[in-house]
Amino acid sequence: MTQAHPVAPHSGAPMPFGRLITAMVTPFAADGSLDLDGVARLATHLVDEQRNDALVISGTTGESPTTTDAEKEQLLRTVVEAVGDRAKIIAGVGTNDTRHTIELAATAEKAGAHGLLVVTPYYNKPPQAGLVRHFTAVADATALPVMLYDIPHRSGVPIATETLVRLAEHERIVAVKDAKVDLIATSWVTSRTDLAIYCGDDATTLPALAVGAVGMVGTSTHFTGPGTKRMIEAYEAGDIATALALHRQLLPLYTGIFRTQGVILVKAGLTALGLPAGPVRSPLVPATEDEIAQLRLDFAAAGLDLPG
């Protein structure tokens, strides 16, 4: 199929959402309610200071399992108003119920989203035929481009290569957030489709670029955005030595942010930097003092500073 999207100069692959995307955390007030002013300020920081081309709102990193449908709409409208004129805003709408996912997709479209992130239905473990039906139904429900989210270690079910090849035939299914960490499978998808692959595992972004990915959807990129953007741009320009040096520099934080659940440490880091974050919602718990101390070491190892 033909897609009218910008093209990465080195790989020749389409880039419907740019190269660098952060799955944004959701700032909460001290009482656990939405901090919409903080949401707007954090989105602005991620776009203007961290060099993100797009943001995912209400992904798992945005604590979507514990926000209501109404809160998701408020979050999306706030971010679209704050940065939607200079970044793509992708709404996380995936659930394990096709009807509910379609409802969230329709709301996201009305709220001004530029695209949808749709995760593999989790826990109920549908067969591949069920995945095709689910993703196709969601893609049929709006006019927005869709990024599939393949993360079998959370969803319980991988999206098989043959399934991705079939889904790529849909004109609005244009991208995959690939957190499978299977470079052979990724290679087959990039060789057989024109789906834009965005690495969903921070530390394997550079090797994913080598097999045809166009960028990443990150978590550590709340802090590593500029360096990660330079890494991706260096690779695309053919400057592999610079890309590798940046990968090695940032690796301690690419991995360190996941020493516990990623949202926990992102919010701890943002708080230390004086940026909007607030508490996490249960069942997540705040970072411990030892975890924060280790996070400072990981920042330092990556050449970044986290105030004490």
Side-chain angles (χ1 to χ4, degrees):
M1 65 182 173
T2 301
Q3 296 170 337
H5 301 300
V7 171
H10 185 74
S11 69
M15 299 186 300
F17 304 107
R19 290 190 180 90
L20 181 65
I21 307 170
T22 290
M24 192 179 102
V25 299
T26 297
F28 296 127
D31 64 359
S33 62
L34 293 185
D35 174 9
L36 292 177
D37 177 64
V39 168
R41 288 191 290 124
L42 180 59
T44 299
H45 171 79
L46 292 175
V47 172
D48 294 348
E49 304 298 328
Q50 292 294 318
R51 298 191 62 198
N52 281 279
D53 301 308
L55 300 175
V56 171
I57 306 304
S58 294
T60 310
T61 305
E63 296 180 76
S64 59
T66 58
T67 57
T68 67
D69 290 1
E71 287 177 323
K72 288 177 173 65
E73 182 178 1
Q74 287 181 287
L75 285 167
L76 186 57
R77 289 186 182 277
T78 299
V79 174
V80 169
E81 181 177 353
V83 298
D85 61 337
R86 56 194 186 278
K88 299 283 189 180
I89 309 304
I90 305 165
V93 299
T95 75
N96 59 354
D97 174 354
T98 304
R99 289 178 296 178
H100 187 200
T101 303
I102 288 171
E103 290 171 0
L104 290 173
T107 299
E109 184 176 38
K110 292 175 184 175
H114 302 120
L116 305 174
L117 179 69
V118 186
V119 72
T120 311
Y122 40 85
Y123 192 75
N124 44 12
K125 297 187 74 173
Q128 295 298 308
L131 298 187
V132 171
R133 178 177 293 184
H134 175 81
F135 290 130
T136 300
V138 178
D140 284 342
T142 79
L144 296 176
V146 172
M147 179 188 292
L148 307 180
Y149 187 5
D150 188 9
I151 183 165
H153 64 273
R154 288 200 182 192
S155 69
V157 178
I159 310 176
T161 297
E162 293 301 324
T163 302
L164 286 167
V165 170
R166 182 174 173 186
L167 289 166
E169 297 174 2
H170 196 292
E171 64 178 351
R172 283 187 294 280
I173 295 177
V174 300
V176 180
K177 180 182 177 182
D178 181 2
K180 192 182 290 179
V181 197
D182 181 346
L183 292 175
I184 295 174
T186 303
S187 299
W188 280 115
V189 173
T190 58
S191 68
R192 296 178 61 191
T193 77
D194 62 354
L195 289 168
I197 302 298
Y198 290 89
C199 183
D201 177 76
D202 295 25
T204 55
T205 298
L206 183 57
L209 293 172
V211 298
V214 302
M216 73 181 295
V217 180
T219 301
S220 70
T221 48
H222 283 82
F223 314 108
T224 64
T228 300
K229 189 73 167 286
R230 291 197 302 272
M231 180 186 75
I232 295 169
E233 290 174 343
Y235 181 84
E236 293 293 348
D239 185 355
I240 308 305
T242 296
L244 181 57
L246 286 163
H247 163 79
R248 288 172 172 167
Q249 174 191 330
L250 297 171
L251 190 60
L253 200 49
Y254 285 162
T255 57
I257 205 71
F258 299 109
R259 290 181 186 275
T260 184
Q261 208 274 359
V263 179
I264 294 171
L265 290 182
V266 169
K267 285 198 163 183
L270 291 172
T271 298
L273 290 166
L275 290 165
V280 292
R281 284 182 175 176
S282 184
L284 300 184
V285 293
T288 66
E289 288 301 317
D290 286 346
E291 288 168 341
I292 295 171
Q294 180 61 56
L295 184 62
R296 290 195 180 94
L297 295 176
D298 293 334
F299 263 73
L304 300 171
D305 180 51
L306 188 67

